[in-house]
């Protein structure tokens, strides 16, 4: 079974979040991290790159190599930052994203449905749950697009 990708619109939103980590007003302090808090009514969205496949083939073009990004809403409870939720995605290539993990600190839940080998191949551990996560992310990215006024069509 093949890992399920997010739909095209969700992929465009994720690509917008991904690109903001490297250039633009939402980039935070260092390359590979962006924070969106356009509308104070909604939880901020934090985006970080956590892994990138480096090889001789793609060492010159940073954005052409597969990478893993974390996208999360977060709040605060008793002075601690709480992920609500935090989803990691494999960015296979431009506008192609596969969700891998889901975490919600308020619920005390962590699920890992796929992981990535050192060569960039995907090991699908729970195919049905990974497919469900992709469907959730389709809706979640639509909400992030609206809440953070990203303007992705």
């Amino acid at each position: 079974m093949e890992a399920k990708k997010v739909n095209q619109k969700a992929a465009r939103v994720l690509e917008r979040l991904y690109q903001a980590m490297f250039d633009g007003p939402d980039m935070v302090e260092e390359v590979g991290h962006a924070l969106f808090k356009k509308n104070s009514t909604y939880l901020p969205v934090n985006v970080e790159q956590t892994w990138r496949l480096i090889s001789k083939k793609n060492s010159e073009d940073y954005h052409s190599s597969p990478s893993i990004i974390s996208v999360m809403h977060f709040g605060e409870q008793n002075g601690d930052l709480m992920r609500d939720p935090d989803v990691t995605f494999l960015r296979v290539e431009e506008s192609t994203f596969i969700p891998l993990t889901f975490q919600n600190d308020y619920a005390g839940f962590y699920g890992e449905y796929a992981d990535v080998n050192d060569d960039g191949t995907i090991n699908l551990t729970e195919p049905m749950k990974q497919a469900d996560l992709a469907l959730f992310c389709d809706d979640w990215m639509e909400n992030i697009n609206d809440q953070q006024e990203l303007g992705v069509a």
Side-chain angles (χ1 to χ4, degrees):
M1 183 174 237
E2 189 172 308
K4 183 166 175 49
K5 302 171 193 159
V6 298
N7 70 25
Q8 290 180 345
K9 179 155 188 191
R12 288 192 301 272
V13 172
L14 282 161
E15 188 64 31
R16 165 72 173 82
L17 298 174
Y18 174 83
Q19 294 299 332
M21 292 188 300
F22 302 99
D23 186 30
D26 303 302
M27 190 174 79
V28 178
E29 297 171 12
E30 72 275 351
V31 171
H33 183 197
L35 180 65
F36 294 82
K37 49 184 178 180
K38 180 74 84 180
N39 187 331
S40 63
T41 304
Y42 302 105
L43 290 172
V45 178
N46 186 69
V47 185
E48 292 184 66
Q49 181 170 306
T50 62
W51 177 87
R52 182 173 85 92
L53 178 66
I54 300 172
S55 69
K56 289 181 183 178
K57 177 181 159 189
N58 63 29
S59 63
E60 297 297 316
D61 184 4
Y62 191 85
H63 298 295
S64 70
S65 62
S67 60
I68 294 177
I69 65 167
S70 165
V71 178
M72 78 171 107
H73 280 306
F74 61 91
E76 192 175 317
Q77 181 177 323
N78 298 326
D80 294 325
L81 288 179
M82 305 290 282
R83 291 169 275 219
D84 182 27
D86 179 359
V87 177
T88 60
F89 296 87
L90 174 64
R91 180 182 184 265
V92 181
E93 59 189 10
E94 185 174 340
S95 295
T96 303
F97 293 87
I98 297 169
L100 305 171
T101 66
F102 177 93
Q103 182 167 349
N104 185 313
D105 290 339
Y106 292 107
F109 180 81
Y110 176 79
E112 184 173 315
Y113 310 121
D115 56 26
V116 181
N117 299 318
D118 290 340
D119 63 358
T121 58
I122 298 170
N123 178 29
L124 194 56
T125 55
E126 296 198 49
M128 298 301 287
K129 290 181 180 179
Q130 190 276 330
D132 287 345
L133 179 57
L135 292 174
F136 164 79
C137 290
D138 292 344
D139 291 337
W140 187 38
M141 289 304 115
E142 181 81 31
N143 290 340
I144 287 175
N145 185 43
D146 292 343
Q147 294 168 358
Q148 299 302 322
E149 302 170 13
L150 299 179
V152 174

